[in-house]
Amino acid sequence: MSKLKKIVLTGGPSSGKTSIIKNLKKLGFLCFDEVARELFFETSVLNSFKKNPLLFSKKIINKRIDHYLISENKTSNAKRNLCFFDRGIHDSIAYLNYMKAKNDYEKRLKRFNYSLIFLLELNKNFFENDINRSESFDQSKLIHNEIELTYKKFNFEIIKVPWMNIEKRTNFILDKCKLI
């Protein structure tokens, strides 16, 4: 059996990651949801994140590492040996860098690898805030840029996903995955 290919969908807030993950789940692919949203729903941690980003980021990183490790045991359940993550472990570094919060995660996270990183383009016409997303579109673009820089720094292969409807973006991603 071939090795599980871990694929990250990432980009700035409101770039469509969660919608694509939902679509991939409907198609039967192994997927892991966004950890930060899960934590935001557990408690009112949005304010605690802003007050202490390092503590909250540690929780996010630990949960993302858990998902990464769990995925390794799910190889036999993975359609086409693909596993998709709504954000990767390294996204946390990008957010901390965006917030100018000093951290030492870069050295500790080098051992976690992904087969591909899909960076989803933002579209101002479809940008929405919600209870957990307080960033403006301009802030989202800055976060997006920091995410790209972070994954480049770790030498990951990044594929930029142009803005299209969810089905077309999903198909674009799946077509690119055929090449790995």
Side-chain angles (χ1 to χ4, degrees):
M1 178 174 270
S2 60
K3 188 176 177 184
L4 181 70
K5 294 165 186 80
K6 296 176 185 77
I7 314 294
V8 172
L9 303 185
T10 191
S14 194
S15 58
K17 298 171 297 297
T18 302
S19 297
I20 294 170
I21 287 287
K22 286 179 185 175
N23 202 31
L24 288 165
K25 282 181 181 180
K26 285 181 194 173
L27 295 172
F29 288 94
L30 177 61
C31 299
F32 287 89
D33 292 325
E34 164 61 275
V35 170
R37 283 195 170 271
E38 191 178 303
L39 291 173
F40 285 146
F41 286 128
E42 283 179 18
T43 59
S44 60
V45 291
L46 186 57
N47 289 333
S48 67
F49 171 65
K50 290 178 180 175
K51 290 177 188 171
N52 190 345
L54 286 174
L55 178 63
F56 188 70
S57 292
K58 182 178 179 180
K59 289 180 183 182
I60 291 173
I61 288 169
N62 288 337
K63 190 80 167 167
R64 286 182 178 151
I65 289 172
D66 287 347
H67 284 176
Y68 185 96
L69 297 174
I70 289 167
S71 75
E72 308 234 313
N73 297 321
K74 302 261 185 186
T75 305
S76 61
N77 298 352
K79 183 176 180 180
R80 287 183 24 202
N81 258 5
L82 298 174
C83 177
F84 295 92
F85 297 87
D86 187 339
R87 296 202 179 280
I89 299 166
H90 303 78
D91 279 56
S92 297
I93 296 170
Y95 267 84
L96 289 169
N97 291 343
Y98 164 75
M99 297 177 70
K100 311 262 187 274
K102 293 187 189 248
N103 66 86
D104 64 345
Y105 286 116
E106 286 189 28
K107 293 176 191 166
R108 294 191 279 169
L109 299 182
K110 282 186 179 184
R111 67 185 179 106
F112 296 100
N113 291 306
Y114 297 100
S115 301
L116 282 177
I117 308 298
F118 285 99
L119 185 66
L120 304 176
E121 185 178 297
L122 291 161
N123 185 323
K124 191 170 188 169
N125 294 328
F126 291 90
F127 184 83
E128 291 180 1
N129 288 104
D130 62 25
I131 193 165
N132 295 317
R133 185 186 304 127
S134 60
E135 300 90 1
S136 68
F137 181 75
D138 288 337
Q139 289 170 316
S140 185
K141 286 192 319 191
L142 292 172
I143 292 167
H144 177 92
N145 293 340
E146 195 62 53
I147 289 168
E148 183 174 7
L149 287 172
T150 299
Y151 281 104
K152 281 182 178 178
K153 186 186 273 187
F154 281 89
N155 295 315
F156 286 110
E157 181 178 353
I158 299 171
I159 296 176
K160 294 185 179 183
V161 181
W163 188 267
M164 303 176 266
N165 70 38
I166 297 301
E167 288 74 27
K168 287 182 180 177
R169 288 175 118 190
T170 302
N171 290 334
F172 176 91
I173 290 165
L174 292 174
D175 286 344
K176 296 293 182 186
C177 287
K178 289 176 186 174
L179 304 174
I180 58 172

